[in-house]
Amino acid sequence: MTAAATDKLSRLAINKAGGTMVADYWEDVFLARERGQKVVWYNGSALNPIFQAAGMAWCHGEAFSARLAAQHLEGPAQLAGSEYGYVGELCSYARTHLGCAVLSQKRSAGSGNGPGMVGLPEQEELASRLPTPDVFVNAYAGCSTGQQWDDISFRVFGKDVPIFNVSMPFLWSNRPGEGYMVGEEWETSSRYVADQLRELIPFLESITGRPFDWDAYRQNMAYIKKASELRQEAMKLCRHLPAPATFWDWIGNVAHINFLPANQQLVDFYTAVLAEVKQRVADGEGSVTSERYRVYFDGFMNWNHLGLLSRKFASHDVAVVAGRYTHHAFWQEPQLIDPDGDPLLGQAQNNLLCPMNHSTRTIQDLVLRDSEFYGVDGIVFHSTRTCRAFTNPQRIIAKAAHEKAGLATMFFEGDIADASFYKDEILESRLAAMLEGIDVRRARA
Amino acid sequence: MTTAGASAQAAIAALTAAADDPDAYVAEWKQRTGRKAFGVFPMNFPAEIVHAGGALPVLLQENREPDSLGRNLLAEFYCGYTRNIADQAAKGTLAGYDGFFLADHCTQLLGAVDVVRSEVPDTPVYFGQLPTSLTDSWTPERARLMMRSFVDEMERLRGEPVTDAELAHSIAVFNENRRLLRELFAARRAGNAALSSSQVQALVKSSMVMDKQVHSVLLREVIDGLAQVPRDGRIRLHLSGHLCHAPRPELLATIEECGALVVDDDLFTGRRYIATDVDEQGDPVAALAQRYLDRDATLPCPTRVKHESDWEDELVRAVESSGAEGVIVLMVRFCEPHMLYYPELRKRLNERGIPHLLLETEHEGLPVETVQTRVEALLERIRRTSATHRTLEVTR
C-alpha cells in the first residue's frame, strides 16, 4: 500500500480516544480477581448491562478473540486450541477463545509451558491473561455453534463452573405477516427470551451472593439506549456525500456499544462521535478523501486485516458506507428499550435482533433497504470461512441485489480471526473488476 | 440356502433399492397411493406426526450426484449434506415433495433450508425450533409446544385434524420398526457377522425413506432368515459420529476390505436413529416431546447441551459392550458440533487406551488409497497392542 493510498483515508479522530477506553476495560477485566469480583464468561448476546448491575466482571469471548486477531496476537491461542484437537475449519472465534481457555487454565494451575516459537511466549501472555470464569452464561442468537462452544468451554474447565443457557429462537418467519419485528413469532420469541433473562437474575444472585441491583440495571439500560440513539443518528448521517464516516469507523467503535460499561462515559463518547460526524457533514469532509464509489459490506468483520481492508478500499476511492454487521447489531433498535418499564423485554428484543438470527428473506430485505438508503453502487460480500451463520444468506442476497436492485456485487474470501483464509490478490482483482463494471454502467447511463 | 434365507436376501435387496434411490421410491409411492410426501430434515423432527397425518415422511438423504447448480447458492465450506441439499433444490429434485419440516437449529442446515425455500418457493417449509439446551426448567414445556406446533402444521397441510388415536398408532408403528432394527444391531453386537456395515446402513437408511409398515414387514423377513455367522479374525471396530447423513457405502466397504469388522456404531444412519422409543401410553404429543428430551440420555449428541450425559462415556461403554478393539471417528467435514466435541472423545479414548482414527468425509470424492493406508495403520496398531487379538490368532 503506497503512502498516497493511505492518505486517502480520514478516520474519525474520536476513535483514538475510544481505543483507550477499550484498553482500560480489558485491563480492568484482567485485574477483576484482585478486586474480588466474580468473573462471567459469555458469548453472543450483549448481556453486559445485567452483569454490570450484578457487580460482576464480564468477558465476551468473541470480543476477546477479535481483539487478539486485530492485534495480531491470536497465534498462541489458536495454536493451543489446535494442540488440544480443534480442527482448523471450526469457528475461529471459538477456536481462539477455547485456546485462551486452555492457556488460562494452564496459567491458573501454574503450568504455563509456552510454545517454543520466537515471539509466541510474549503473545501468549495476553491470551492467557483472561481470568478464569466463575460462571458461564450463554445466550447466542442465530448461530448454533455459539451454544455448543460454551458447552465445550464448560467441559474444558472440568464441568466445575456453573453455566446458564438462554435459548434464543431463530426468527424464521413461518407465516405471512411474520418478519422483522412483526408478527406472532416476534411477540412470542421476545417474551420467551425475556422470561429466561428473568430466570437468569436469581441464578446470578446465587453466584455473587448479593441481591441484584435493579435500579442500577435500569440506569444501565438508559445509558445503553441513549448511546445507541446517538450512534444510530451518526451512522445515518453517512448517507451524505461524501460519507463523513465509513463502516471501518463503525467497526472502530463497535466495542464500546457492544460490551463497555454502560455509564455516562459511554454516552459522552457517542455524543462526541456524533459531533464529529456532524462537523464533517457541515465541512463537506469525507472519510475517503476522494469518494467515487460507495458500497455496502455484508459479512463478519475480518479482524486480522482491519487496517489493510480500510486502506485498500479507500485507495480505490471506495467508501464502504454501511454493513450488516455494524448496522444490524449492537442495540440497533433503542426504541424497544424502556428503562422505566420492562427493560428486560427491550434487552431480549435487541438480543434477538442479531444480524444472523433472521431467515434469508428478512436479511435480504434489510440489506436492500440499507443499500437504497445509503445509495450504494454495489455490495461487497465477505465470504467468512468459519462463520457459516453470517455467510448463510449471501449468495441469495447477491442474486436479489442484482436482479431486484441492479447492484454490482462481489465476493472475497476471508475469516473473522484466522488470517490464513484471506487472499489479498483475489480481493484486489475482484474489487477492480467490480469498480470497472460500475464505471461502465455509469457511462452507459 | 433355506427359504427363509432366500426371503431375507430378497428383503435386503428391496430395502437396499429404496436406500439407493429414495427419489424413485417416493415418486412410485406417491403415484401408487395418491398421498402426499413430506421431506424431513435431520435429526430430530418427529416423523410420526407426518405419518399420523396420512402422508409419507422422508428423511432427506444426500444423493450421489456431483454438486453443480447448488454451488452458486451455498458456500463451499459447508458440510457435504447441506451443500448437496442446496444442489438438489437448485436442480429441482425436491419438487416432488408437498412440504418440508425442520426441527433442528443447525446453522449450516438453516442455510441449506433457506436455499430450499428460495428455490422451491411454492412449497411450504415449516421450522419449529426444538430447544437444544435440554435441562433448563422451561425446556420441557417449550419442547411440548413445538411438538404441538408440528401437529397443528400437519393438520393445516392435511386440511383436517390429526387425532390422538392416529398419533398413538403411528408411534406404535415407529416403535416397532425401531425395535426390529435394534434387534439386528443387538445381534451384530453379540457376535453375528452376517451383515456387512453397508447392508446395515441400507436397512436404516431405507427406514428413513420407506413406508414404515412395509419396511417392518421386510425387516422381519431379514431377521427370520438371518444366518448365524460367527465373527472371524478381523479386527473389530466401532464407527462413531457422522451426524445427519450416511457415510458413503464405499467408505464402509473400504474399511472392511482392510481387514476390519464393524461390530457397532453410533452413527446417525445407524444406532443413533433407532436408539430411543416413544412412550405409547398417555398424551402422544407429550410423549413425543419426552422422547426428544430422552434421546440425548440414551445416546448423547454433540448438537445438544445436557451436562448429565457425555458422549465419550457412552462411546467407551459401547466399545466395551461390543468387544470392539478400536474406533473410527467419521467426521463430516465442516460439521461444527462434531469438530467442537471431537477433542473430548479423543481425550477419553486416549485415557482408556482405545486405538482410534479420525476420518473426515466429503460429499464428493473418496480418497480410497489414503483411507486404506490410514485404516491399515490403525489395524496394524491394534494387532500389535491388542492382547485379546493376539490370543485369538494363536488359538485359531
PDB file of all heavy atoms in Angstrom, chain A residues 152-169:
ATOM      1  N   ILE A 152     -18.657 -26.610  25.424  1.00  0.00           N
ATOM      2  CA  ILE A 152     -17.319 -27.203  25.395  1.00  0.00           C
ATOM      3  C   ILE A 152     -16.393 -26.456  26.365  1.00  0.00           C
ATOM      4  O   ILE A 152     -15.578 -27.079  27.056  1.00  0.00           O
ATOM      5  CB  ILE A 152     -16.770 -27.201  23.951  1.00  0.00           C
ATOM      6  CG1 ILE A 152     -17.585 -28.162  23.078  1.00  0.00           C
ATOM      7  CG2 ILE A 152     -15.297 -27.577  23.926  1.00  0.00           C
ATOM      8  CD1 ILE A 152     -17.540 -29.627  23.499  1.00  0.00           C
ATOM      9  N   SER A 153     -16.527 -25.131  26.445  1.00  0.00           N
ATOM     10  CA  SER A 153     -15.733 -24.379  27.435  1.00  0.00           C
ATOM     11  C   SER A 153     -16.005 -24.942  28.836  1.00  0.00           C
ATOM     12  O   SER A 153     -15.093 -25.143  29.635  1.00  0.00           O
ATOM     13  CB  SER A 153     -16.103 -22.891  27.429  1.00  0.00           C
ATOM     14  OG  SER A 153     -15.808 -22.309  26.196  1.00  0.00           O
ATOM     15  N   PHE A 154     -17.277 -25.181  29.089  1.00  0.00           N
ATOM     16  CA  PHE A 154     -17.698 -25.767  30.367  1.00  0.00           C
ATOM     17  C   PHE A 154     -16.986 -27.103  30.601  1.00  0.00           C
ATOM     18  O   PHE A 154     -16.515 -27.412  31.695  1.00  0.00           O
ATOM     19  CB  PHE A 154     -19.219 -25.940  30.305  1.00  0.00           C
ATOM     20  CG  PHE A 154     -19.837 -26.724  31.418  1.00  0.00           C
ATOM     21  CD1 PHE A 154     -20.077 -26.153  32.656  1.00  0.00           C
ATOM     22  CD2 PHE A 154     -20.227 -28.041  31.211  1.00  0.00           C
ATOM     23  CE1 PHE A 154     -20.679 -26.883  33.676  1.00  0.00           C
ATOM     24  CE2 PHE A 154     -20.830 -28.770  32.218  1.00  0.00           C
ATOM     25  CZ  PHE A 154     -21.047 -28.190  33.454  1.00  0.00           C
ATOM     26  N   ARG A 155     -16.863 -27.893  29.556  1.00  0.00           N
ATOM     27  CA  ARG A 155     -16.193 -29.189  29.676  1.00  0.00           C
ATOM     28  C   ARG A 155     -14.685 -29.032  29.810  1.00  0.00           C
ATOM     29  O   ARG A 155     -14.048 -29.792  30.543  1.00  0.00           O
ATOM     30  CB  ARG A 155     -16.555 -30.070  28.467  1.00  0.00           C
ATOM     31  CG  ARG A 155     -17.987 -30.520  28.483  1.00  0.00           C
ATOM     32  CD  ARG A 155     -18.455 -31.149  27.186  1.00  0.00           C
ATOM     33  NE  ARG A 155     -19.894 -31.401  27.247  1.00  0.00           N
ATOM     34  CZ  ARG A 155     -20.437 -32.481  27.790  1.00  0.00           C
ATOM     35  NH1 ARG A 155     -19.682 -33.434  28.289  1.00  0.00           N
ATOM     36  NH2 ARG A 155     -21.742 -32.620  27.823  1.00  0.00           N
ATOM     37  N   VAL A 156     -14.118 -28.053  29.089  1.00  0.00           N
ATOM     38  CA  VAL A 156     -12.667 -27.823  29.204  1.00  0.00           C
ATOM     39  C   VAL A 156     -12.308 -27.490  30.657  1.00  0.00           C
ATOM     40  O   VAL A 156     -11.251 -27.880  31.154  1.00  0.00           O
ATOM     41  CB  VAL A 156     -12.222 -26.692  28.239  1.00  0.00           C
ATOM     42  CG1 VAL A 156     -10.809 -26.213  28.557  1.00  0.00           C
ATOM     43  CG2 VAL A 156     -12.286 -27.183  26.786  1.00  0.00           C
ATOM     44  N   PHE A 157     -13.213 -26.790  31.329  1.00  0.00           N
ATOM     45  CA  PHE A 157     -12.971 -26.460  32.738  1.00  0.00           C
ATOM     46  C   PHE A 157     -13.491 -27.557  33.674  1.00  0.00           C
ATOM     47  O   PHE A 157     -13.783 -27.300  34.847  1.00  0.00           O
ATOM     48  CB  PHE A 157     -13.604 -25.106  33.085  1.00  0.00           C
ATOM     49  CG  PHE A 157     -12.748 -23.938  32.658  1.00  0.00           C
ATOM     50  CD1 PHE A 157     -12.951 -23.320  31.428  1.00  0.00           C
ATOM     51  CD2 PHE A 157     -11.722 -23.471  33.461  1.00  0.00           C
ATOM     52  CE1 PHE A 157     -12.150 -22.262  31.020  1.00  0.00           C
ATOM     53  CE2 PHE A 157     -10.913 -22.411  33.056  1.00  0.00           C
ATOM     54  CZ  PHE A 157     -11.130 -21.806  31.830  1.00  0.00           C
ATOM     55  N   GLY A 158     -13.601 -28.760  33.156  1.00  0.00           N
ATOM     56  CA  GLY A 158     -13.911 -29.919  34.005  1.00  0.00           C
ATOM     57  C   GLY A 158     -15.323 -29.963  34.530  1.00  0.00           C
ATOM     58  O   GLY A 158     -15.580 -30.641  35.531  1.00  0.00           O
ATOM     59  N   LYS A 159     -16.241 -29.256  33.928  1.00  0.00           N
ATOM     60  CA  LYS A 159     -17.654 -29.213  34.342  1.00  0.00           C
ATOM     61  C   LYS A 159     -17.799 -28.720  35.787  1.00  0.00           C
ATOM     62  O   LYS A 159     -18.762 -29.062  36.466  1.00  0.00           O
ATOM     63  CB  LYS A 159     -18.297 -30.612  34.182  1.00  0.00           C
ATOM     64  CG  LYS A 159     -18.361 -31.070  32.727  1.00  0.00           C
ATOM     65  CD  LYS A 159     -18.741 -32.527  32.584  1.00  0.00           C
ATOM     66  CE  LYS A 159     -20.228 -32.740  32.669  1.00  0.00           C
ATOM     67  NZ  LYS A 159     -20.604 -34.143  32.364  1.00  0.00           N
ATOM     68  N   ASP A 160     -16.821 -27.938  36.220  1.00  0.00           N
ATOM     69  CA  ASP A 160     -16.856 -27.441  37.604  1.00  0.00           C
ATOM     70  C   ASP A 160     -17.430 -26.032  37.721  1.00  0.00           C
ATOM     71  O   ASP A 160     -17.684 -25.555  38.830  1.00  0.00           O
ATOM     72  CB  ASP A 160     -15.428 -27.432  38.186  1.00  0.00           C
ATOM     73  CG  ASP A 160     -14.897 -28.835  38.370  1.00  0.00           C
ATOM     74  OD1 ASP A 160     -15.720 -29.748  38.613  1.00  0.00           O
ATOM     75  OD2 ASP A 160     -13.677 -29.026  38.253  1.00  0.00           O
ATOM     76  N   VAL A 161     -17.550 -25.342  36.593  1.00  0.00           N
ATOM     77  CA  VAL A 161     -18.014 -23.951  36.632  1.00  0.00           C
ATOM     78  C   VAL A 161     -19.492 -23.933  36.252  1.00  0.00           C
ATOM     79  O   VAL A 161     -19.863 -24.495  35.220  1.00  0.00           O
ATOM     80  CB  VAL A 161     -17.192 -23.094  35.629  1.00  0.00           C
ATOM     81  CG1 VAL A 161     -17.685 -21.666  35.623  1.00  0.00           C
ATOM     82  CG2 VAL A 161     -15.703 -23.165  35.964  1.00  0.00           C
ATOM     83  N   PRO A 162     -20.341 -23.287  37.058  1.00  0.00           N
ATOM     84  CA  PRO A 162     -21.777 -23.271  36.721  1.00  0.00           C
ATOM     85  C   PRO A 162     -22.024 -22.601  35.367  1.00  0.00           C
ATOM     86  O   PRO A 162     -21.289 -21.696  34.977  1.00  0.00           O
ATOM     87  CB  PRO A 162     -22.409 -22.445  37.843  1.00  0.00           C
ATOM     88  CG  PRO A 162     -21.375 -22.323  38.897  1.00  0.00           C
ATOM     89  CD  PRO A 162     -20.041 -22.556  38.278  1.00  0.00           C
ATOM     90  N   ILE A 163     -23.052 -23.058  34.697  1.00  0.00           N
ATOM     91  CA  ILE A 163     -23.394 -22.486  33.378  1.00  0.00           C
ATOM     92  C   ILE A 163     -24.886 -22.244  33.295  1.00  0.00           C
ATOM     93  O   ILE A 163     -25.683 -23.020  33.847  1.00  0.00           O
ATOM     94  CB  ILE A 163     -22.901 -23.412  32.238  1.00  0.00           C
ATOM     95  CG1 ILE A 163     -23.151 -22.768  30.858  1.00  0.00           C
ATOM     96  CG2 ILE A 163     -23.526 -24.796  32.307  1.00  0.00           C
ATOM     97  CD1 ILE A 163     -22.396 -23.448  29.716  1.00  0.00           C
ATOM     98  N   PHE A 164     -25.256 -21.156  32.641  1.00  0.00           N
ATOM     99  CA  PHE A 164     -26.665 -20.828  32.426  1.00  0.00           C
ATOM    100  C   PHE A 164     -26.859 -20.621  30.932  1.00  0.00           C
ATOM    101  O   PHE A 164     -26.133 -19.845  30.314  1.00  0.00           O
ATOM    102  CB  PHE A 164     -27.032 -19.547  33.187  1.00  0.00           C
ATOM    103  CG  PHE A 164     -28.498 -19.223  33.192  1.00  0.00           C
ATOM    104  CD1 PHE A 164     -29.302 -19.587  34.263  1.00  0.00           C
ATOM    105  CD2 PHE A 164     -29.078 -18.552  32.120  1.00  0.00           C
ATOM    106  CE1 PHE A 164     -30.658 -19.286  34.270  1.00  0.00           C
ATOM    107  CE2 PHE A 164     -30.440 -18.252  32.118  1.00  0.00           C
ATOM    108  CZ  PHE A 164     -31.233 -18.618  33.207  1.00  0.00           C
ATOM    109  N   ASN A 165     -27.823 -21.317  30.360  1.00  0.00           N
ATOM    110  CA  ASN A 165     -28.102 -21.178  28.927  1.00  0.00           C
ATOM    111  C   ASN A 165     -29.413 -20.452  28.696  1.00  0.00           C
ATOM    112  O   ASN A 165     -30.449 -20.850  29.249  1.00  0.00           O
ATOM    113  CB  ASN A 165     -28.196 -22.558  28.270  1.00  0.00           C
ATOM    114  CG  ASN A 165     -26.828 -23.104  27.937  1.00  0.00           C
ATOM    115  OD1 ASN A 165     -26.148 -22.602  27.043  1.00  0.00           O
ATOM    116  ND2 ASN A 165     -26.404 -24.114  28.669  1.00  0.00           N
ATOM    117  N   VAL A 166     -29.355 -19.409  27.889  1.00  0.00           N
ATOM    118  CA  VAL A 166     -30.579 -18.754  27.427  1.00  0.00           C
ATOM    119  C   VAL A 166     -30.809 -19.239  26.000  1.00  0.00           C
ATOM    120  O   VAL A 166     -29.935 -19.087  25.146  1.00  0.00           O
ATOM    121  CB  VAL A 166     -30.428 -17.213  27.423  1.00  0.00           C
ATOM    122  CG1 VAL A 166     -31.707 -16.549  26.936  1.00  0.00           C
ATOM    123  CG2 VAL A 166     -30.051 -16.709  28.818  1.00  0.00           C
ATOM    124  N   SER A 167     -31.945 -19.855  25.753  1.00  0.00           N
ATOM    125  CA  SER A 167     -32.233 -20.356  24.403  1.00  0.00           C
ATOM    126  C   SER A 167     -32.846 -19.246  23.567  1.00  0.00           C
ATOM    127  O   SER A 167     -33.860 -18.662  23.948  1.00  0.00           O
ATOM    128  CB  SER A 167     -33.191 -21.544  24.481  1.00  0.00           C
ATOM    129  OG  SER A 167     -32.537 -22.636  25.099  1.00  0.00           O
ATOM    130  N   MET A 168     -32.217 -18.979  22.436  1.00  0.00           N
ATOM    131  CA  MET A 168     -32.646 -17.869  21.576  1.00  0.00           C
ATOM    132  C   MET A 168     -33.317 -18.426  20.317  1.00  0.00           C
ATOM    133  O   MET A 168     -32.641 -19.043  19.489  1.00  0.00           O
ATOM    134  CB  MET A 168     -31.430 -17.029  21.157  1.00  0.00           C
ATOM    135  CG  MET A 168     -30.552 -16.578  22.306  1.00  0.00           C
ATOM    136  SD  MET A 168     -31.321 -15.312  23.330  1.00  0.00           S
ATOM    137  CE  MET A 168     -31.238 -13.892  22.257  1.00  0.00           C
ATOM    138  N   PRO A 169     -34.602 -18.211  20.145  1.00  0.00           N
ATOM    139  CA  PRO A 169     -35.258 -18.705  18.929  1.00  0.00           C
ATOM    140  C   PRO A 169     -34.732 -18.002  17.675  1.00  0.00           C
ATOM    141  O   PRO A 169     -34.479 -16.799  17.688  1.00  0.00           O
ATOM    142  CB  PRO A 169     -36.732 -18.361  19.149  1.00  0.00           C
ATOM    143  CG  PRO A 169     -36.872 -18.083  20.597  1.00  0.00           C
ATOM    144  CD  PRO A 169     -35.549 -17.564  21.057  1.00  0.00           C
TER     145      PRO A 169
END
